[in-house]
């Protein structure tokens, strides 16, 4: 039980949406008459508001520029627990420009709209995008102004895709949920959006993301995987160890409101009037917004086909279509309206008479009571959406059909098709013949089957209400946030740069161990077929300074081959460990094999190369690297999902063929498959490397008292971090003791044993930092290779600064004495 619950206080919920659920009418200077908007989706949260102290944050529906008017309206809205966001001059570009002009078509599989010839496409897109971000910032400011510790913030729909990120940047401890009420498209459609990555990364900062259907959730996860390269799981999206939970939570309605409405005297009167009006005819009902995705033209074409093929029904059926106007000022909507009107005229002209017409088309909305009456008397509900987030109209129809038991014909492209499909007739609205056949089946359906289908759908609508949707979402959000908090406590912190530098300056014998690929390599700007590993040019001076410091030993430990390391580090006084430490050399010496058993068999290499070549050829933009004891196939530049599928097939081929009886380890990386000789991990190699460093440094008189270890390592190579953790726990381990438990090659056995504690390492002098990931065995993490460059630069000059400070202090002391 939460503290609020224990005190009898309801937890606070801030529902943030583009529009407040109120209608405002000015009644005088600085005064308004306000009422809750009928039928708005947020009015359906009545059950949630009973358990939460809910406040609504959103645009009031009109612009207010005068501060006095703003204050007066805000005060009036506060009485209805509404908090206004005054968008004013930014509204048009944010709402009409970016939200509905760019995001809405993309989300509904319509692609990016074409700009006018005289427009600068990039300029207009950027202007709308900037307005969108600015508006999201304005929503943030209002939320922050009203936020209290412990509040839940529930962001609604595609208008607010940047808000989760802004909220978490302000305070990571805010519980943030985001729900998408529209569809989410396939990755091929979404990736055409210029701002695709920024929007995805922003919503992924939320603790819970909600979608109406499994298809939408799957598309979202797949899109994140393909565009961002993150991992998709059954829970959601995993990025650097952080899980953003993705839930399928279809919205519902308040069924009791519609059931009770059908028993009201006014509704019953409307029902009787409608029955008299359409006496002797079956009524097919359509209720849609008049826009491109609702498929009204397809509905009329299907109905026309039905009348053509079934002349006996022409005087016995009528289609009543409520087409609610929307965005009349947009040319595309005007085209749809003209198309619809043309079809109505043609069909009524072909099949109507002086006394009756087959289609009754209304370009307006109707009162909720009249709509309930239409739902109740209809024999068939026809929904032909081309793409719909859910379509609550179908739920409302089912709720009002307790007496009639009418048939629901539902587009398979409406979200409700996945929830009400069991009792409905599902159709492809683009298939005119299929729609016509469904109309015929519905009109001729026996009462027993109608009863059975209705019972299934009515039970679903009754149990999966808006109240359940809201409470389920908030329950999932609380669980997701709690799990995230637990994970954060387990995750390491960002590397403390000042501590790293200070301890480095104060130590006498330092060891720096660095990975190569993705750590010291130059940034990759192009998606080349094969990656050419080159040292970041910004590190050349830094590495020379570190390597030439007599107190510092630098080791580059990489899975790359000897030739690559020679090519990049030949000029440095540095230790190189190739193929995960299988081969070791100091730049003044020769390569030595550190751990190759005399009976090791490498017969598997050629067969594995052939498998890798085969999959490289059939996986565009993949490549493989071969060294003497390991092979790595990489698909980070290929299509991620295809690459993963190919990796699964590759593993089956390997185990069935070249490595079936070989002594090898197979490692499945995030976007790679590696096969290497057994024992080839960085943790297994570091003990042997330390031994050889000590043997090489015959003048070494003090144990290593400082270690900095960082790299972009695979999970199996992170045993390098735990190696030093164990050494801290047993600091008395000497080289002589270590040599008895190490596998030493014959040339090294002849060398003199050194009775010296190799490590004199205290916990505060050991810094392990994984690169770019927080889910790691390392103590800390570093955000990017750029941060590694910055930190190494600071270490390279740390001793110089310390010496300068000491000389300055000494000089000042002398002057003081004088």
């Amino acid at each position: 039980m939460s503290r609020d619950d224990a005190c009898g206080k309801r937890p606070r919920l801030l529902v943030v949406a583009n529009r407040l659920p109120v209608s405002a009418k000015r009644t005088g200077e600085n005064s308004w008459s306000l009422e809750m908007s009928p039928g708005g989706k947020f009015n359906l949260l009545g059950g949630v508001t009973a358990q939460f102290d809910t406040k609504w944050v959103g645009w009031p529906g009109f612009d207010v520029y005068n501060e006095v008017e703003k204050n007066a309206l805000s005060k009036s809205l506060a009485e209805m627990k509404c908090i206004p966001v005054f968008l004013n001059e930014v509204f048009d570009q944010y709402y009409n420009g970016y939200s509905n002009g760019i995001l809405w078509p993309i989300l509904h599989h319509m692609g990016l709209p074409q700009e006018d010839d005289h427009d600068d496409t990039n300029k207009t897109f950027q202007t709308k995008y900037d307005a969108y971000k600015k508006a999201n910032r304005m929503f943030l400011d209002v939320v922050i102004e009203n936020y209290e510790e412990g509040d839940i913030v529930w962001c609604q729909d595609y208008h607010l895709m940047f808000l989760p990120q802004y909220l978490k940047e302000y305070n990571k401890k805010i519980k943030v949920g985001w729900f998408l009420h529209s569809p989410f498209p396939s990755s091929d459609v979404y990736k055409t959006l210029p701002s695709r990555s920024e929007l995805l990364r922003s919503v992924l900062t939320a603790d819970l993301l909600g979608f109406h259907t499994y298809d939408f959730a799957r598309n979202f996860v797949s899109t994140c995987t393909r565009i961002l390269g993150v991992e998709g799981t059954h829970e959601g999206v995993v990025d650097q160890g952080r899980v953003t939970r993705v839930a399928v939570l279809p919205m519902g309605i308040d069924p009791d409101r519609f059931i009770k409405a059908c028993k009201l005297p006014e509704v019953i009167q409307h029902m009787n009037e409608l029955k008299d009006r359409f006496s002797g005819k079956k009524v097919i009902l359509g209720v849609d917004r008049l826009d491109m995705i609702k498929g009204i033209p397809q509905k009329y074409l299907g109905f026309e086909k039905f009348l053509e093929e079934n002349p006996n029904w022409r005087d016995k059926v009528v289609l009543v279509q409520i087409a609610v106007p929307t965005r009349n000022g947009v040319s595309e909507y005007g085209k749809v309206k003209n198309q619809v009107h043309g079809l109505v005229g043609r069909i009524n002209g072909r099949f109507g008479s002086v006394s009756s017409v087959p289609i009754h088309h209304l370009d307006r909305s109707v009162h909720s009571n009249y709509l309930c009456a239409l739902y109740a008397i209809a024999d068939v509900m026809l929904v032909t959406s081309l793409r719909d987030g859910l379509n609550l109209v179908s739920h409302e129809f089912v709720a009002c059909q307790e007496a009639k038991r009418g048939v629901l014909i539902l587009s398979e492209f409406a979200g409700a098709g996945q929830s009400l499909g069991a009792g409905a007739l599902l159709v492809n609205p683009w298939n005119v013949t299929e729609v016509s056949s469904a109309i015929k089946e519905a009109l001729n359906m026996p009462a027993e089957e109608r009863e059975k289908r209705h019972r299934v759908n009515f039970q679903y609508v009754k149990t999966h209400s808006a109240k359940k949707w809201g409470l389920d979402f908030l329950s999932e959000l609380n669980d997701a946030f709690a799990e995230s908090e637990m994970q954060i406590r387990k995750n390491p912190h960002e590397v403390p740069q000042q501590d790293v530098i200070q301890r480095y300056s104060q130590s006498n014998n330092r060891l720096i161990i660095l990975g190569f690929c993705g750590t010291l390599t130059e940034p990759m700007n192009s998606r080349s077929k094969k990656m050419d590993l080159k040292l970041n040019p910004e590190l050349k001076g830094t590495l020379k300074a570190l390597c030439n410091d007599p107190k510092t030993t630098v080791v580059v430990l990489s899975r790359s081959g000897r030739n690559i390391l020679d090519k990049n580090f030949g000029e440095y006084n540095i230790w190189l460990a190739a193929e995960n430490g299988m081969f070791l050399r100091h730049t003044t010496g020769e390569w030595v094999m550190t751990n190759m058993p005399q009976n090791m068999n490498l017969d598997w290499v050629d067969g594995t190369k052939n498998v890798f070549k085969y999959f490289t050829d059939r996986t565009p933009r993949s490549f493989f690297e071969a060294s003497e004891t390991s092979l790595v196939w990489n698909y980070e530049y290929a299509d991620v999902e295809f690459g993963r599928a190919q990796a699964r097939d590759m593993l089956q081929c390997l185990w069935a063929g070249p490595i079936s009886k070989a002594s090898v380890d197979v490692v499945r990386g995030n976007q790679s498959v590696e096969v290497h000789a057994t024992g080839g991990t960085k943790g297994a190699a570091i003990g042997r490397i330390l031994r050889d460093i000590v043997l090489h440094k015959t003048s070494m008189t003090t144990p290593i008292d400082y270690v900095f270890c960082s790299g972009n390592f695979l999970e199996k190579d992170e045993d390098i971090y735990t190696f030093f953790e164990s050494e801290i726990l047993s600091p008395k381990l000497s080289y002589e003791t270590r040599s008895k438990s190490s596998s030493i090659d014959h040339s090294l056995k002849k060398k003199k044993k050194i009775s010296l504690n190799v490590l004199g390492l205290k916990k505060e002098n050991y810094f392990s930092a994984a690169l770019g990931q927080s889910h790691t065995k390392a103590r800390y993490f570093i955000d990017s290779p750029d941060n590694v460059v910055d930190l190494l630069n600071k270490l390279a000059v740390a001793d110089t600064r310390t010496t300068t400070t000491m000389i300055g202090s000494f000089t000042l002391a002398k002057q003081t004495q004088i």
Side-chain angles (χ1 to χ4, degrees):
M1 180 179 292
S2 69
R3 182 172 178 272
D4 285 343
D5 291 338
C7 298
K9 181 182 177 183
R10 290 181 301 165
R12 280 180 31 118
L13 170 66
L14 300 179
V15 180
V16 191
N18 168 69
R19 178 75 184 268
L20 288 174
V22 296
S23 297
K25 185 177 181 181
R26 188 184 291 273
T27 56
E29 185 176 356
N30 301 331
S31 63
W32 286 266
S33 171
L34 304 174
E35 62 179 10
M36 297 298 286
S37 301
K41 64 169 69 81
F42 303 117
N43 286 326
L44 302 177
L45 290 175
V48 173
T49 55
Q51 299 188 28
F52 288 82
D53 180 9
T54 306
K55 295 186 182 299
W56 313 92
V57 179
W59 183 59
F62 49 88
D63 295 332
V64 180
Y65 294 92
N66 183 284
E67 288 300 321
V68 175
E69 288 188 341
K70 285 182 180 180
N71 293 333
L73 179 59
S74 298
K75 186 176 180 180
S76 298
L77 287 169
E79 296 176 2
M80 304 183 72
K81 296 196 172 185
C82 291
I83 304 167
V85 180
F86 297 108
L87 298 172
N88 296 340
E89 67 280 351
V90 79
F91 177 79
D92 184 61
Q93 289 282 57
Y94 144 73
Y95 182 74
N96 295 317
Y98 194 79
S99 295
N100 290 329
I102 294 174
L103 284 180
W104 189 89
I106 285 286
L107 294 174
H108 288 82
H109 276 249
M110 297 172 64
L112 284 172
Q114 297 296 314
E115 299 287 347
D116 294 335
D117 294 337
H118 56 80
D119 284 336
D120 182 330
T121 303
N122 292 329
K123 182 179 179 181
T124 55
F125 174 86
Q126 191 62 45
T127 302
K128 295 170 184 176
Y129 183 58
D130 291 342
Y132 181 83
K133 295 178 74 173
K134 183 177 180 180
N136 274 245
R137 286 282 183 193
M138 295 167 79
F139 276 94
L140 170 73
D141 293 340
V142 175
V143 172
I144 290 174
E145 187 178 340
N146 292 274
Y147 176 78
E148 296 179 7
E149 185 178 354
D151 285 358
I152 299 172
V153 182
W154 189 359
C155 308
Q156 305 288 334
D157 228 354
Y158 57 89
H159 310 89
L160 300 172
M161 292 182 76
F162 274 115
L163 188 55
Q165 176 183 329
Y166 295 160
L167 287 166
K168 287 294 187 178
E169 287 174 350
Y170 168 72
N171 184 348
K172 290 183 178 179
K173 294 189 177 296
I174 297 180
K175 293 180 184 177
V176 180
W178 181 77
F179 193 91
L180 183 65
H181 293 272
S182 76
F184 196 91
S186 67
S187 59
D188 287 339
V189 174
Y190 180 85
K191 70 182 180 182
T192 61
L193 186 65
S195 52
R196 60 192 189 182
S197 298
E198 296 92 329
L199 289 168
L200 289 177
R201 291 198 181 280
S202 177
V203 294
L204 284 175
T205 59
D207 300 293
L208 175 67
L209 306 178
F211 297 86
H212 281 307
T213 73
Y214 172 74
D215 285 348
F216 303 158
R218 179 189 58 195
N219 284 349
F220 176 81
V221 173
S222 174
T223 299
C224 290
T225 300
R226 288 171 177 264
I227 293 176
L228 303 180
V230 295
E231 180 185 358
T233 70
H234 67 283
E235 286 189 338
V237 177
V238 182
D239 186 11
Q240 305 300 340
R242 183 186 181 277
V243 179
T244 301
R245 190 182 294 188
V246 175
V248 177
L249 295 164
M251 193 176 182
I253 62 171
D254 179 1
D256 291 335
R257 182 169 77 88
F258 289 89
I259 294 170
K260 291 175 182 177
C262 289
K263 298 175 183 177
L264 294 175
E266 181 184 350
V267 175
I268 292 173
Q269 181 181 347
H270 287 317
M271 290 168 59
N272 291 332
E273 291 172 354
L274 289 167
K275 288 177 183 177
D276 290 341
R277 174 72 181 81
F278 300 120
S279 177
K281 295 184 178 182
K282 296 284 188 178
V283 178
I284 302 173
L285 178 63
V287 180
D288 307 276
R289 290 195 319 274
L290 184 55
D291 65 27
M292 294 86 74
I293 66 162
K294 292 301 183 178
I296 298 178
Q298 285 73 18
K299 182 183 301 187
Y300 285 161
L301 290 172
F303 185 59
E304 182 179 36
K305 180 75 170 176
F306 168 75
L307 294 176
E308 285 176 353
E309 296 181 344
N310 300 276
N312 57 310
W313 274 103
R314 291 176 186 174
D315 295 324
K316 300 176 183 178
V317 65
V318 61
L319 171 56
V320 178
Q321 176 65 51
I322 308 297
V324 181
T326 180
R327 303 171 192 167
N328 288 325
V330 181
S331 60
E332 287 79 4
Y333 291 84
K335 292 176 183 176
V336 174
K337 184 175 182 179
N338 291 336
Q339 181 186 11
V340 166
H341 286 180
L343 287 170
V344 171
R346 186 179 81 193
I347 296 169
N348 283 344
R350 288 183 64 191
F351 303 107
S353 64
V354 175
S355 58
S356 68
V357 291
I359 297 179
H360 290 248
H361 179 96
L362 281 74
D363 276 328
R364 62 182 178 87
S365 59
V366 297
H367 190 274
S368 59
N369 283 345
Y370 191 80
L371 182 60
C372 286
L374 279 170
Y375 284 143
I377 64 96
D379 298 279
V380 177
M381 183 79 194
L382 184 54
V383 178
T384 54
S385 304
L386 307 181
R387 188 70 57 177
D388 226 345
L390 188 62
N391 193 284
L392 290 176
V393 163
S394 55
H395 288 241
E396 295 171 0
F397 168 75
V398 170
C400 293
Q401 281 284 316
E402 197 170 7
K404 188 84 172 187
R405 305 299 201 259
V407 180
L408 175 63
I409 300 176
L410 186 56
S411 167
E412 63 186 67
F413 302 121
Q418 293 192 17
S419 51
L420 300 180
L425 297 177
L426 292 180
V427 296
N428 174 3
W430 294 100
N431 188 332
V432 174
T433 302
E434 189 174 313
V435 174
S436 170
S437 299
I439 293 173
K440 182 178 181 180
E441 182 180 354
L443 293 174
N444 291 312
M445 187 175 290
E448 183 179 348
E449 186 176 351
R450 284 193 285 112
E451 167 71 27
K452 180 180 177 181
R453 287 176 176 271
H454 170 76
R455 189 166 57 248
V456 171
N457 280 346
F458 185 80
Q459 182 62 28
Y460 180 89
V461 170
K462 185 77 172 165
T463 55
H464 291 77
S465 63
K467 176 182 178 180
K468 175 178 169 55
W469 166 73
L471 293 177
D472 284 353
F473 184 92
L474 295 173
S475 176
E476 285 267 1
L477 176 56
N478 280 325
D479 290 346
F481 182 80
E483 288 182 11
S484 177
E485 286 286 283
M486 290 178 60
Q487 188 61 49
I488 289 172
R489 286 194 288 269
K490 293 178 183 178
N491 287 343
H493 301 292
E494 191 169 357
V495 65
Q497 278 206 15
Q498 292 303 317
D499 283 354
V500 173
I501 297 166
Q502 183 180 356
R503 295 287 177 180
Y504 177 88
S505 301
Q506 296 171 350
S507 56
N508 297 309
N509 192 356
R510 311 144 179 159
L511 176 63
I512 297 177
I513 303 171
L514 302 167
F516 179 46
C517 182
T519 307
L520 304 180
T521 48
E522 65 180 353
M524 296 296 295
N525 295 320
S526 62
R527 294 192 166 191
S528 56
K529 185 177 180 182
K530 185 167 183 177
M531 188 161 50
D532 185 15
L533 298 177
K534 293 181 180 179
L535 178 66
N536 190 329
E538 294 185 21
L539 279 170
K540 291 187 175 182
T542 298
L543 273 184
K544 280 191 176 180
L546 290 172
C547 294
N548 291 335
D549 185 343
K551 291 184 179 181
T552 303
T553 301
V554 181
V555 179
V556 173
L557 179 53
S558 173
R559 71 182 184 185
S560 298
R562 291 180 282 179
N563 60 330
I564 294 177
L565 297 187
D566 278 338
K567 179 181 174 182
N568 284 281
F569 298 99
E571 61 184 286
Y572 301 98
N573 181 28
I574 197 169
W575 285 87
L576 302 174
E579 300 190 33
N580 276 349
M582 283 287 187
F583 297 93
L584 179 70
R585 66 162 284 191
H586 189 269
T587 48
T588 58
E590 300 294 328
W591 284 102
V592 176
M593 187 171 287
T594 63
N595 188 35
M596 180 69 82
Q598 293 181 354
N599 61 347
M600 178 176 281
N601 189 335
L602 296 178
D603 291 344
W604 54 271
V605 172
D606 289 338
T608 303
K609 278 185 181 180
N610 290 333
V611 173
F612 277 20
K613 286 179 181 177
Y614 172 74
F615 280 92
T616 298
D617 290 341
R618 64 185 285 186
T619 310
R621 300 170 105 173
S622 68
F623 62 93
F624 77 92
E625 298 171 289
S627 54
E628 293 176 65
T629 62
S630 68
L631 294 98
V632 181
W633 182 70
N634 189 302
Y635 58 91
E636 68 176 299
Y637 301 136
D639 179 271
V640 178
E641 290 192 3
F642 182 60
R644 285 177 180 164
Q646 293 292 80
R648 288 193 294 269
D649 291 346
M650 172 187 283
L651 290 172
Q652 293 181 1
C653 291
L654 290 172
W655 286 118
I659 66 170
S660 58
K661 297 181 181 179
S663 179
V664 297
D665 290 330
V666 179
V667 180
R668 178 84 179 268
N670 186 32
Q671 293 173 324
S672 65
V673 174
E674 179 179 353
V675 181
H676 58 76
T678 300
T681 69
K682 290 177 171 63
I686 195 62
R688 303 189 300 270
I689 293 169
L690 281 176
R691 176 201 67 203
D692 290 359
I693 290 174
V694 172
L695 284 172
H696 184 270
K697 283 193 166 185
T698 55
S699 60
M700 179 176 169
T701 57
T702 59
I704 295 169
D705 60 353
Y706 175 96
V707 174
F708 175 76
C709 180
S710 181
N712 186 20
F713 300 142
L714 294 173
E715 184 178 356
K716 59 99 180 178
D717 288 325
E718 288 204 337
D719 56 356
I720 190 172
Y721 301 137
T722 55
F723 172 88
F724 286 102
E725 296 284 358
S726 63
E727 294 305 304
I728 292 171
L729 296 175
S730 54
K732 298 298 182 183
L733 186 63
S734 67
Y735 168 65
E736 186 174 5
T737 305
R738 183 190 309 280
S739 65
K740 292 177 182 177
S741 60
S742 299
S743 175
I744 308 173
D745 62 273
H746 295 290
S747 62
L748 290 175
K749 282 183 179 179
K750 296 176 183 178
K751 291 184 180 279
K752 179 183 177 181
K753 289 183 179 179
I754 300 172
S755 182
L756 170 72
N757 286 348
V758 174
L759 288 174
L761 191 60
K762 294 181 180 179
K763 183 177 181 180
E764 58 268 22
N765 273 19
Y766 172 51
F767 299 93
S768 56
L771 187 66
Q773 58 184 22
S774 56
H775 185 64
T776 174
K777 296 176 183 176
R779 289 186 169 188
Y780 307 101
F781 71 91
I782 297 180
D783 280 332
S784 68
D786 290 338
N787 296 108
V788 175
V789 172
D790 179 61
L791 182 54
L792 293 178
N793 285 338
K794 291 175 179 176
L795 291 180
V797 299
D799 267 359
T800 305
R801 289 175 180 170
T802 304
T803 304
T804 303
T805 303
M806 291 176 63
I807 292 173
S809 301
F810 177 76
T811 304
L812 181 61
K814 282 288 188 182
Q815 290 173 349
T816 304
Q817 289 174 4
I818 292 172

